[in-house]
């Protein structure tokens, strides 16, 4: 039980951190087409730094397909990168059928 509670707490911290970092930056929601809040809520568990890459849920992919990822990438800060794996974020985009362009930059991450 302690393991699942600690995983839930970590997930809650990731979501709250992303919401605080991106949510306080009104320009992300205002400038980027799509549901940025939904992106954080639906996909946070798949981009946690710890653990393996796992296939995203249909809900996560639904949001990914309808958000302007290049715009979101332009607003990724060092603070965001301290909480999520950019490699996993690129993996999620690809797994959802909306890959980031090779050689493009998302935050400080260069897509291989």
């Amino acid at each position: 039980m302690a393991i699942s509670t600690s995983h839930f707490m970590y997930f809650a911290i990731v979501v709250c951190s992303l919401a605080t970092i991106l949510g306080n930056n009104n320009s992300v929601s205002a400038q980027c087409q799509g549901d940025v809040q939904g992106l954080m809520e639906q996909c946070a568990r798949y981009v946690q730094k710890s653990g393996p890459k796992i296939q995203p849920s249909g809900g996560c992919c639904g949001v990914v397909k309808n958000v302007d990822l290049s715009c979101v990438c332009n607003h990724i800060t060092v603070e965001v990168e301290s909480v999520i794996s950019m490699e996993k974020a690129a993996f999620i985009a690809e797994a959802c059928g909306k890959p980031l362009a090779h050689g493009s930059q998302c935050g400080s991450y260069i897509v291989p």
Side-chain angles (χ1 to χ4, degrees):
M1 184 61 137
I3 292 174
S4 63
T5 301
S6 62
H7 282 179
F8 173 77
M9 291 301 295
Y10 183 76
F11 174 70
I13 290 168
V14 169
V15 170
C16 289
S17 297
L18 287 173
T20 300
I21 294 164
L22 289 177
N24 283 342
N25 186 351
N26 290 331
S27 67
V28 176
S29 294
Q31 293 178 18
C32 298
Q33 183 178 23
D35 184 5
V36 175
Q37 181 68 31
L39 183 66
M40 293 181 289
E41 291 170 358
Q42 294 293 321
C43 301
R45 67 181 275 185
Y46 304 106
V47 295
Q48 295 177 10
K49 285 195 176 236
S50 64
K53 291 179 187 173
I54 56 175
Q55 291 295 316
S57 67
C60 173
C61 284
V63 177
V64 167
K65 290 177 182 177
N66 292 302
V67 75
D68 183 350
L69 292 179
S70 62
C71 180
V72 172
C73 281
N74 288 334
H75 291 86
I76 297 293
T77 64
V78 173
E79 291 86 6
V80 172
E81 290 187 46
S82 72
V83 219
I84 70 169
S85 164
M86 296 307 296
E87 181 180 348
K88 287 181 184 177
F91 168 77
I92 295 305
E94 187 167 342
C96 291
K98 194 172 177 181
L100 300 172
H102 296 289
S104 67
Q105 189 166 343
C106 193
S108 67
Y109 179 75
I110 305 293
V111 181

